[in-house]
Amino acid sequence: MTDEPASEVIAALYADSWSRIVATMIRFTGGDWNLAEECAQDAFTQALRRWPDEGIPRQPLAWLTTAARNRAIDTFRRASTEAAKLRQWAALEAKAPPPYTRDSEIPDERLELMFTCCHPALNLDAQVALTLRSLAGLSTADIARAFLVSERTMAQRIFRAKQKVAHAVIPFRVPPAHLLPDRLPAVLHVLYLLYNESYSDQQHKARLSTEAIRLARVLATLMPDEPEAQGLLALMLLQEARLATRLDAEGELVTLEHQDRSLWDRKRIDEATAILESALRRRRAGPFQIQAAIAACHATAASVEKTDWPQIVGLYDQLRRVSPSPLVDLNRTVALAMAQGPETALPDLDTLTASGRLDGYHLLHAARADLLAKVGRDAEARASLETALELAPTDAERRLLQQRLHPGRT
Amino acid sequence: MRYLMLVCVDPDKPEEEIAGAPDIDVWVKDNDEQGIRLMGDRVRPGSDATCVRVRDGEVLLTDGPYVETKDLIAGFDVLECADLDEAVEVASRHPMAWHGVIELRPFWVD
């Protein structure tokens, strides 16, 4: 470790340990979130200044934590005028430093931080923003950019969330066992939202997807008895494995059937399927495990034709039972068309269309156009494609639909 | 930490028997014994309320208009809890959480 330049060691520590230090400091300061972050930031700044000359300490994480802790004590001392508070802090100072003697140890603080960020008393926007800030260590400007709001708006959102945590005394802990099943889905949901946010715009948000996967890994490691946590990690890894083939050389979207499967990341796919298998062995399949199983069917198939479509239909049936949504219905009919032919799937798709629940969703009309064309109802197919084109939310998707409407024209 | 627990009626929900809803007397006794409930009472409805304002040094009394929650608040309790999770747990065992809604407001701490 000492052979590496100090700045690189510090950057790596920042990525791996920011949330551990913040979490420790939140506990140490009795829930003062802002002071905790200030102290963590200060510790890294001190390291940047001193390590290049003095050398990297033998236990860098313990060094940083102690520096952050000393800064908190200083801050408090300067602010404090009451003798009673001073005494209280003198007692704190005498306490042993946090036990970060071995860097390989996974402390529970990060998990506590994750559950605090995702407390149901905070609204979902606040949960996501707080998770990004505190666990991923992203700057307010980064987060604002990712969510397409002004930095000021995001700063206020994060400030209000932290204030509520402090004022309402939202506890800094993993909830007791009887609340876990209620809370874990929200945590998983926030992480998946984070991942999808980055997936939809890979140029600008690659860092968010890396963070989401890292956090899902932390969660899956810390909660080995929760198969849905592993299901989420597997799902993200499977999507990430196909990331490089989603855009062509010109930056245009490439649909699954046209992606170059030889470029998929085999190592990631193998890792994900192993994680998923161990999760499924617990026989408590929730929505993330089922979605991961569907993604695994695609990722391990040699081609579209060789994909196990009947199994995918079965998995969508299962997903419909645990987490029904019109979107799941739509995906199921697409799989059904592949498994049993467009004639079998069309009536289901017609029912879904008639329900009006996905009226404004371009992929419903695109899927319908596809099936209608396959059974030779060309005029209707064209009309559906035109509707899809009108509804498509991004330029990239509009160009993809244009291609289908006017093949050969660019 | 102290929380003001506002016990509110849901005007859209008729106050009928809900199977399994807790008993208010048991709730009061339990929480009084544990020192969680410091005080609390029912209050008369909005139709018996009075608004007080002082403007330019003059006391103005009006019968409304009331802020939205004014019509809905049926009572209040003051809870002493370790944190929000404990307060939520106490609130969720109050029968009005089953019929209406309970708002938890942390006390202002300097």
Side-chain angles (χ1 to χ4, degrees):
Chain A
M1 194 174 213
T2 42
D3 293 341
E4 290 175 68
S7 61
E8 275 176 35
V9 174
I10 294 169
L13 275 166
Y14 187 84
D16 290 340
S17 310
W18 166 259
S19 62
R20 292 168 73 172
I21 296 171
V22 170
T24 305
M25 292 313 295
I26 291 174
R27 164 153 293 169
F28 186 71
T29 58
D32 190 333
W33 208 295
N34 286 322
L35 179 58
E37 284 186 350
E38 230 176 84
C39 294
Q41 199 66 63
D42 185 68
F44 278 101
T45 310
Q46 278 190 50
L48 275 174
R49 205 174 49 229
R50 290 174 49 184
W51 293 7
D53 295 334
E54 297 172 16
I56 297 158
R58 231 159 23 96
Q59 292 174 347
L61 190 52
W63 190 99
L64 287 165
T65 312
T66 305
R69 185 175 149 276
N70 290 342
R71 163 70 195 267
I73 292 168
D74 279 355
T75 307
F76 188 81
R77 230 190 238 130
R78 264 182 277 123
S80 176
T81 49
E82 293 169 49
K85 280 191 177 170
L86 263 178
R87 269 202 303 279
Q88 181 192 338
W89 277 79
L92 267 183
E93 196 179 11
K95 272 203 283 187
Y100 280 162
T101 44
R102 274 181 306 165
D103 287 1
S104 62
E105 255 175 50
I106 299 169
D108 260 0
E109 279 96 338
R110 271 184 297 184
L111 196 55
E112 289 172 333
L113 191 54
M114 209 179 284
F115 276 96
T116 307
C117 290
C118 296
H119 196 282
L122 301 169
N123 69 43
L124 189 61
D125 280 350
Q127 291 180 22
V128 179
L130 209 52
T131 303
L132 283 174
R133 180 77 197 97
S134 307
L135 276 151
L138 295 197
S139 74
T140 306
D142 280 345
I143 304 168
R145 216 171 13 256
F147 287 88
L148 305 173
V149 298
S150 72
E151 194 176 337
R152 221 176 86 98
T153 304
M154 188 49 78
Q156 277 172 348
R157 195 180 287 174
I158 294 171
F159 179 77
R160 272 198 300 268
K162 284 178 187 166
Q163 292 290 84
K164 182 162 179 182
V165 170
H167 293 156
V169 195
I170 289 177
F172 183 71
R173 65 153 177 262
V174 178
H178 72 279
L179 289 178
L180 261 188
D182 290 348
R183 300 271 173 95
L184 186 62
V187 174
L188 297 177
H189 181 69
V190 164
L191 290 186
Y192 195 44
L193 216 62
L194 195 62
Y195 182 80
N196 277 330
E197 194 58 41
S198 64
Y199 198 73
S200 62
D201 180 358
Q202 38 183 292
Q203 276 174 329
H204 297 105
K205 298 172 187 168
R207 200 166 156 215
L208 287 191
S209 75
T210 311
E211 287 303 334
I213 290 176
R214 190 177 67 81
L215 294 174
R217 218 182 263 286
V218 171
L219 196 61
T221 312
L222 295 181
M223 302 182 80
D225 293 330
E226 292 296 337
E228 274 294 89
Q230 307 192 14
L232 174 67
L233 176 60
L235 177 59
M236 287 180 183
L237 289 172
L238 286 164
Q239 290 183 356
E240 198 73 1
R242 306 197 303 242
L243 195 65
T245 60
R246 285 184 80 240
L247 299 180
D248 65 15
E250 281 79 47
E252 296 294 331
L253 279 174
V254 183
T255 54
L256 184 64
E257 58 172 317
H258 295 117
Q259 289 175 9
D260 181 351
R261 289 170 190 241
S262 68
L263 296 178
W264 287 355
D265 185 342
R266 267 308 120 200
K267 241 177 82 187
R268 273 223 170 96
I269 293 171
D270 290 346
E271 188 199 355
T273 47
I275 292 169
L276 179 62
E277 271 166 28
S278 106
L280 289 171
R281 272 200 292 275
R282 291 177 181 269
R283 308 218 157 266
R284 281 188 282 142
F288 286 118
Q289 290 169 78
I290 300 169
Q291 289 178 76
I294 293 168
C297 282
H298 290 301
T300 54
S303 66
V304 172
E305 295 73 29
K306 287 186 182 141
T307 304
D308 189 348
W309 292 105
Q311 189 183 351
I312 293 178
V313 174
L315 287 165
Y316 274 121
D317 283 335
Q318 219 182 326
L319 189 56
R320 255 203 316 197
R321 280 194 296 275
V322 298
S323 165
S325 90
L327 216 58
V328 174
D329 292 347
L330 173 61
N331 289 330
R332 184 189 170 276
T333 58
V334 174
L336 187 66
M338 295 302 290
Q340 299 183 22
E343 298 85 358
T344 316
L346 253 176
D348 282 7
L349 195 54
D350 287 340
T351 311
L352 182 62
T353 310
S355 79
R357 288 187 301 166
L358 286 176
D359 264 356
Y361 188 54
H362 67 293
L363 291 181
L364 168 79
H365 303 281
R368 199 149 182 278
D370 192 40
L371 295 197
L372 288 167
K374 279 182 180 151
V375 297
R377 288 156 63 177
D378 289 341
E380 289 168 88
R382 220 182 151 71
S384 286
L385 211 45
E386 274 161 3
T387 311
L389 193 58
E390 272 168 39
L391 294 168
T394 66
D395 286 341
E397 281 170 296
R398 268 191 289 279
R399 284 194 296 272
L400 193 67
L401 290 164
Q402 282 283 6
Q403 275 281 319
R404 280 173 60 190
L405 201 55
H406 308 285
R409 211 164 84 185
T410 49
Chain B
M1 183 66 200
R2 282 183 191 192
Y3 298 87
L4 174 64
M5 184 176 122
L6 295 173
V7 180
C8 307
V9 181
D10 182 347
D12 300 327
K13 199 165 168 21
E15 220 181 302
E16 58 199 18
E17 282 293 301
I18 294 179
D23 184 277
I24 184 64
D25 296 328
V26 173
W27 185 87
V28 168
K29 188 169 170 288
D30 263 12
N31 291 304
D32 280 358
E33 277 172 8
Q34 292 178 57
I36 290 172
R37 180 177 172 274
L38 303 181
M39 67 174 302
D41 221 324
R42 296 170 67 193
V43 294
R44 299 284 313 167
S47 53
D48 296 334
T50 304
C51 287
V52 181
R53 292 178 181 79
V54 178
R55 297 290 179 268
D56 300 324
E58 206 178 325
V59 178
L60 304 173
L61 297 188
T62 52
D63 182 13
Y66 299 107
V67 291
E68 202 187 339
T69 51
K70 186 71 199 70
D71 295 309
L72 305 176
I73 296 170
F76 73 96
D77 295 276
V78 176
L79 308 178
E80 175 73 53
C81 294
D83 53 43
L84 185 65
D85 282 358
E86 192 191 354
V88 168
E89 211 250 325
V90 171
S92 66
R93 283 190 278 111
H94 191 284
M96 278 307 280
W98 295 55
H99 296 283
V101 60
I102 287 177
E103 189 172 315
L104 289 169
R105 290 275 190 103
F107 272 42
W108 195 285
V109 183
D110 282 323

